[in-house]
C-alpha cells in the first residue's frame, strides 16, 4: 500500500528495527515511544479512503514522471551540432559501431550503451565528431541524445521515491522532485550525448534500491527483499561500469550494509545461522553479482572492439597483437634482435608509449639546443630507430656481412631513422624533472660522439644472452654518465607537442619507467616467427586496462583556454560551463545550476547540520520528546543523515584528486543535497506547525511553506530556462537579452 500523505511519527509508521533497540531498558523505552505514537495516531482510514489515497499517490508519481520527461525531451534536437563533450562520447559510440579499438579513462559501459543506442536508432557510425560546433547534417544523432535524456528523466522519479521511503511524506518527495525537475543544470546534462546522465541514473537506482531493501528489513528473504537487494548490486555494477565515481555509491552501500549486519549481529533473538544467511545474501548480491556484471562489460568491450584504432599505443605489445589491422596481429617478425634492425622501443609503464624523436629542437634555456626526444603514444614513422654498433658506421645489412645478434651487455648506438641523429645524453638537466639528465638527438648521418653510447641490458639475465623481441625486458645504461634511459610520464609544454618527457635518470633502481621492450622489428636477413603465442588472457587484459585507465585519469591536465573549476566553486554555483556558442549570433547553451535551487540546497546543508546536532544532543541527553517531535526527529536524523552521507561521499573526495576537475563533477552530489533539502524543509515546517498548534492557522503553515518553495522553484526555472534550452541574440549584459538582469555573479559567463 502506498504511504498516505503526511508526516510525523504517526503517519510515517517508523518501526524500531528488529534488534536495534539494544539492551532491555532501551527496548522498553522503544516500546513506550511506539505505544505513545499508536495512541496519538489517527484511526485507520476506511477502505474507500485508502483506495483514494493510493490512486492519488500513483497519480502524483505519474505527474512527476511526466513532467520530468517533458522537460528533458523538450527541444532535444537543438542545437543540431556537437556540443561540448559530445565530441568525445559520440565519437566513442561510433568506435563501438565500427568495432574500432580506442582508449578512454573511464570504464566502457556508458560508451557501449551510447553506441548501442546509436546503432538501434539507425546511426551508421560515419560521423567524425571532430570538434564542438560541427553540424550533424544528415547523420542520425537523436537516438543517442534521446537515450541519455531517457535515463536522465528517471532521476526525478527515483529521487521522489527515495525521499518518500525515507520520510513517508509526499510533500517532502514532491519538493525534492520539483528541485530536480526545475534545475537547469540537471536538465542540460540530460539532453546531450554524455556519460553524466547514465552515471547518475545508476547512482540513483542504487540509492533507491538500497532504501527499498532497508524498508523490507522486517521481511528478510522475501521476494521483494531479494529483488531490491539484487537490484542494488546491478545498479552498483552499472555505476562503476560508467565511471570510477561509482565507487562513492559503492562505499555508501557498503557502510549501510556493515551497519545493518552489525545490528543483526547484536539481535540475540537471531541465531548465528540466520546472521550467516544475511551475510551470505549480501556477499552474493552486493559483491559477487556486481563484480560479475562489471567484468562482463569488459568481456563485451574486448569482444566488440576487435579492430586496431587510435588507442593501440596506450597498451602493451602483447595486447595489441589481438587487434586486427595492428601490425602485430597475425604477424611474424624476427625473434632475436640483430645489428642493423629497424625497431620501435616501447616503455613498459602503461600509457607512456614509444621512444620518439622529431626534427624540432629543445628551446633556448632548456638544456642543450639539440633535437627533442620524447615518448609518443601513437604509431608513427618517427618512432623508428636503427640499432648499430657503437664503434663502426658500416651497414650491418650488407649481404657480405654475417648476421650479428645483439646480446645482453653490448654497447650500442640507436640512430633515429628519419633524421639520422643518435640517441644522446649528457649532464644538462632534463626539461621538467630535476636531477635527471636531458636526452636528445645528436650527430649528423649517424656520426656523433661518445655520449651516444648505451649499454643494453636484459632485466634478470646473464651477459651474452640474446635479446628477444617483445619478450625481453631491457634497459639502456648511458656509458658516460651511468644514468638509465626512462620516461618521467610528465607532459611537455607546447614546444614539445604535449608529448611525454624522456630523461636519463641517475637513480639505477629498476622501475617500469626505465624498462622497455622492442616491439616492431624489421631485418630482411633474419627468419620470422609467429606472434600468436603472445596474445594475453582475459584476466591479463582486464588488469592492463585498469592500469592504463588509472594512469590516464591521474594524468589528465587542463588544456589551454579550457574552463576548469575547483571543488569549493561547485556548491555555491560559482561558475558554469559553456556547452555551445560564444557570440550573440550563436546558439548558446550554458551549464549552470538554477541558483535558487543550488543556494537553497547550500542553506539546507547548513541548517541540517545545526538542527540535526541540536536534536542529536537532546536525544543523547535523554530528553523526552513528544511523540510527534520524536517521529520527525527520527526522520530528520535517519533519512536526512542517509542522504547527507551520500552528498559527503560524492563531494569531498574531489578535494584530494590531482587530476583536472570540471563543474559537472558535482552533479551526483547535487542530487543528494536536493533530497536533503526536501526532507529538511518538510520536517522543519511540520515542527513549526506542531509548535504553533494552538494558533488557528497553524495547520496552514506547512502547506503554505511547501507551496511557496514549489512556486519559487518553478518561477526561477521560468527565468533561467534559456540557459538550458538555448538562446540566440544579445548577451546577458544587453538590456534586450532574455537573460538581462539575471547575471547575478560576475563569474557567470553567459
Amino acid at each position: 500500500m502506498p504511504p498516505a500523505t503526511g508526516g510525523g511519527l504517526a503517519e510515517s509508521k517508523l518501526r524500531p528495527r528488529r534488534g536495534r533497540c539494544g539492551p532491555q531498558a532501551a527496548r522498553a523505552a522503544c516500546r513506550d515511544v511506539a505505544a505513545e505514537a499508536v495512541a496519538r495516531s489517527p484511526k485507520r482510514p476506511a477502505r474507500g479512503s485508502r483506495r483514494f489515497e493510493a490512486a492519488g499517490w500513483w497519480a502524483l508519481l505519474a505527474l512527476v514522471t511526466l513532467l520530468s520527461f517533458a522537460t528533458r525531451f523538450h527541444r532535444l534536437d537543438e542545437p543540431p551540432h556537437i556540443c561540448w563533450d559530445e565530441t568525445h562520447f559520440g565519437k566513442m559510440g561510433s568506435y563501438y559501431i565500427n568495432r574500432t579499438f580506442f582508449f578512454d579513462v573511464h570504464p566502457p559501459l556508458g560508451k557501449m550503451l551510447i553506441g548501442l543506442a546509436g546503432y538501434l536508432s539507425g546511426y551508421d557510425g560515419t560521423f567524425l565528431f571532430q570538434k564542438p560546433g560541427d553540424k550533424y547534417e544528415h547523420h542520425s544523432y537523436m537516438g543517442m541524445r534521446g537515450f541519455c535524456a531517457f535515463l536522465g528523466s528517471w532521476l526525478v522519479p527515483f529521487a521522489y521515491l527515495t525521499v518518500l521511503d525515507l520520510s513517508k511524506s509526499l510533500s517532502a518527495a514532491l519538493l525534492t522532485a520539483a528541485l530536480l525537475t526545475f534545475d537547469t543544470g540537471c536538465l542540460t546534462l540530460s539532453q546531450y550525448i554524455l556519460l553524466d546522465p547514465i552515471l547518475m541514473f545508476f547512482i540513483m537506482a542504487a540509492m533507491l534500491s538500497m532504501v527499498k531493501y532497508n524498508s523490507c528489513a522486517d521481511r528478510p528473504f522475501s521476494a521483494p527483499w531479494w529483488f531490491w537487494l539484487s537490484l542494488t548490486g546491478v545498479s552498483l555494477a552499472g555505476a562503476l561500469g560508467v565511471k570510477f565515481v561509482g565507487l562513492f555509491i559503492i562505499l555508501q552501500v557498503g557502510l549501510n550494509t556493515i551497519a545493518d549486519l552489525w545490528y543483526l549481529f547484536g539481535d540475540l533473538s537471531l541465531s548465528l545461522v540466520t546472521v550467516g544467511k544475511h551475510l551470505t545474501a549480501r556477499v552474493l548480491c552486493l559483491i559477487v553479482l556486481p563484480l560479475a556484471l562489471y567484468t562482463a562489460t569488459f568481456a563485451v568491450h574486448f569482444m566488440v572492439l576487435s579492430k586496431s584504432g587510435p588507442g593501440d599505443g596506450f597498451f602493451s605489445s602483447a595486447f595489441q597483437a589481438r587487434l586486427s589491422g595492428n601490425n602485430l596481429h597475425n604477424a611474424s617478425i624476427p625473434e632475436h634482435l640483430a645489428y642493423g634492425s629497424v625497431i620501435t622501443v616501447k616503455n613498459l609503464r602503461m600509457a607512456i608509449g614509444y621512444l620518439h624523436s622529431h626534427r624540432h629542437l629543445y628551446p633556448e634555456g632548456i638544456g642543450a639546443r639539440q633535437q627533442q626526444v620524447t615518448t609518443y603514444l601513437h604509431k608513427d614513422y618517427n618512432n623508428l630507430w636503427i640499432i648499430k654498433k657503437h664503434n663502426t658506421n658500416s651497414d650491418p645489412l650488407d649481404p657480405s656481412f654475417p648476421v650479428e645478434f645483439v646480446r645482453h651487455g653490448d654497447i650500442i648506438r640507436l640512430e633515429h631513422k628519419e633524421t639520422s641523429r643518435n640517441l644522446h645524453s649528457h649532464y644538462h638537466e632534463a626539461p621538467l624533472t630535476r636531477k635527471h639528465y636531458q636526452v636528445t638527438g645528436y650527430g649528423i648521418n649517424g656520426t656523433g660522439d661518445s655520449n651516444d653510447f648505451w649499454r643494453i641490458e636484459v632485466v634478470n639475465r646473464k651477459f651474452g644472452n640474446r635479446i628477444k623481441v617483445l619478450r625481453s625486458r631491457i634497459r639502456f645504461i648511458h656509458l658516460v654518465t651511468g644514468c638509465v634511459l626512462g620516461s618521467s610520464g610528465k607532459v611537455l609544454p607546447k614546444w614539445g607537442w604535449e608529448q611525454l618527457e624522456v630523461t636519463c635518470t641517475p637513480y639505477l633502481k629498476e622501475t617500469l619507467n626505465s624498462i622497455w621492450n622492442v616491439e616492431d622489428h624489421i631485418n630482411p636477413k633474419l627468419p620470422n616467427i609467429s606472434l600468436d603465442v603472445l596474445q594475453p588472457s582475459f584476466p591479463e587484459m582486464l588488469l592492463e586496462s585498469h592500469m592504463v585507465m588509472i594512469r590516464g585519469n591521474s594524468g589528465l591536465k587542463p588544456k589551454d583556454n579550457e574552463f576548469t573549476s575547483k571543488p569549493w566553486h561547485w556548491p555555491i554555483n560559482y561558475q558554469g560551463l559553456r556547452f555551445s556558442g560564444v557570440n550573440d549570433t550563436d546558439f548558446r547553451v550554458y551549464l549552470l545550476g538554477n541558483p535558487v535551487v543550488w543556494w537553497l540546497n547550500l542553506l539546507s546543508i547548513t541548517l541540517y547540520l545545526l538542527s540535526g546536532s541540536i536534536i542529536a544532543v537532546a536525544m543523547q541527553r535523554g530528553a523526552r520528546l513528544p511523540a510527534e517531535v520524536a517521529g520527525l526527529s527520527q526522520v530528520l536524523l535517519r533519512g536526512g543523515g542517509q542522504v547527507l552521507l551520500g552528498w559527503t561521499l560524492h563531494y569531498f573526495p574531489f578535494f584530494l584528486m590531482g587530476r583536472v576537475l570540471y563543474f559537472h563533477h558535482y552533479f551526483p552530489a547535487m542530487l543528494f543535497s536536493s533530497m536533503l533539502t526536501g526532507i529538511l524543509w518538510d520536517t522543519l515546517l511540520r515542527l513549526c506547525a506542531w509548535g504553533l498548534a494552538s494558533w488557528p492557522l497553524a495547520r496552514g503553515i506547512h502547506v503554505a511553506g511547501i507551496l511557496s518553495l514549489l512556486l519559487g522553484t518553478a518561477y526561477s526555472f521560468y527565468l533561467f530556462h534559456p540557459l538550458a534550452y538555448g538562446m540566440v541574440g544579445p548577451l546577458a549584459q544587453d538590456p534586450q537579452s532574455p537573460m538581462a538582469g539575471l547575471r547575478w555573479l560576475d563569474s557567470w559567463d553567459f
Side-chain angles (χ1 to χ4, degrees), residues 248-324:
F248 301 150
I249 189 65
I250 290 175
L251 180 58
Q252 180 164 12
V253 172
L255 292 173
N256 176 82
T257 303
I258 291 170
D260 195 34
L261 289 171
W262 181 249
Y263 283 121
L264 290 171
F265 184 70
D267 185 353
L268 300 183
S269 66
L270 297 178
S271 67
L272 289 179
V273 173
T274 303
V275 175
K277 289 179 179 178
H278 277 278
L279 174 62
T280 303
R282 285 158 176 79
V283 168
L284 289 175
C285 294
L286 300 181
I287 298 178
V288 176
L289 178 61
L291 280 177
L293 293 175
Y294 179 73
T295 304
T297 62
F298 277 89
V300 175
H301 171 73
F302 295 140
M303 181 178 65
V304 173
L305 301 185
S306 59
K307 298 179 182 179
S308 177
D312 294 13
F314 289 86
F315 291 82
S316 68
S317 307
F319 189 101
Q320 295 178 45
R322 57 172 290 276
L323 300 172
S324 63

Side-chain angles (χ1 to χ4, degrees), residues 300-532:
V300 175
H301 171 73
F302 295 140
M303 181 178 65
V304 173
L305 301 185
S306 59
K307 298 179 182 179
S308 177
D312 294 13
F314 289 86
F315 291 82
S316 68
S317 307
F319 189 101
Q320 295 178 45
R322 57 172 290 276
L323 300 172
S324 63
N326 189 284
N327 60 325
L328 297 177
H329 181 68
N330 290 334
S332 56
I333 61 175
E335 181 179 14
H336 294 103
L337 191 60
Y339 288 104
S341 296
V342 177
I343 63 173
T344 59
V345 184
K346 193 173 191 298
N347 194 277
L348 288 193
R349 182 158 183 181
M350 306 298 179
I352 291 291
Y354 301 91
L355 188 65
H356 177 96
S357 188
H358 40 239
R359 296 188 184 276
H360 302 278
L361 306 181
Y362 286 101
E364 290 287 349
I366 306 295
R369 189 165 168 76
Q370 297 174 6
Q371 185 169 296
Q372 296 175 18
V373 174
T374 64
T375 57
Y376 187 50
L377 284 164
H378 304 284
K379 302 281 188 177
D380 191 271
Y381 285 114
N382 281 322
N383 299 342
L384 297 175
W385 301 81
I386 305 171
I387 188 164
K388 294 188 173 183
K389 288 190 171 184
H390 73 288
N391 55 359
T392 179
N393 283 322
S394 59
D395 183 8
L397 296 182
D398 188 325
S400 62
F401 289 99
V403 173
E404 188 171 354
F405 291 103
V406 180
R407 298 178 182 274
H408 173 57
D410 281 3
I411 309 301
I412 64 165
R413 280 188 298 118
L414 282 177
E415 180 183 317
H416 190 240
K417 187 174 186 298
E418 294 297 306
T419 63
S420 298
R421 297 189 188 275
N422 296 324
L423 185 70
H424 178 96
S425 187
H426 41 225
Y427 286 107
H428 292 277
E429 192 168 74
L432 302 179
T433 306
R434 295 186 60 192
K435 298 184 179 180
H436 285 213
Y437 302 138
Q438 182 188 33
V439 177
T440 68
Y442 180 74
I444 300 174
N445 294 325
T447 301
D449 61 23
S450 59
N451 281 325
D452 303 339
F453 300 161
W454 302 82
R455 184 172 67 253
I456 187 168
E457 294 183 354
V458 181
V459 177
N460 298 326
R461 291 296 177 91
K462 298 178 180 179
F463 280 84
N465 287 138
R466 292 182 184 181
I467 294 173
K468 293 184 177 181
V469 174
L470 293 173
R471 299 183 186 181
S472 293
R473 296 154 53 94
I474 58 178
R475 300 202 306 167
F476 297 96
I477 313 297
H478 191 243
L479 209 59
V480 173
T481 63
C483 60
V484 183
L485 182 72
S487 175
S488 66
K490 297 176 182 177
V491 179
L492 294 169
K494 279 207 165 184
W495 56 256
W497 303 92
E498 297 181 343
Q499 295 171 8
L500 303 185
E501 179 192 38
V502 169
T503 70
C504 199
T505 171
Y507 307 108
L508 301 183
K509 182 180 179 181
E510 290 181 5
T511 66
L512 288 180
N513 296 64
S514 61
I515 299 177
W516 309 77
N517 74 301
V518 176
E519 184 171 288
D520 297 287
H521 183 208
I522 304 168
N523 192 319
K525 298 174 70 174
L526 296 175
N528 295 332
I529 63 164
S530 174
L531 297 182
D532 289 345

Side-chain angles (χ1 to χ4, degrees), residues 105 489 491 500 548-558 658-660:
V105 296
V491 179
L500 303 185
V548 173
M549 285 188 292
I550 291 169
R551 179 164 181 80
N553 257 306
S554 62
L556 287 175
K557 304 298 178 187
R659 55 155 290 174
V660 61

Side-chain angles (χ1 to χ4, degrees), residues 614-628:
I614 293 173
I615 292 172
V617 169
M619 295 180 70
Q620 186 68 16
R621 292 296 298 169
R624 187 164 179 81
L625 303 176
E628 183 78 12

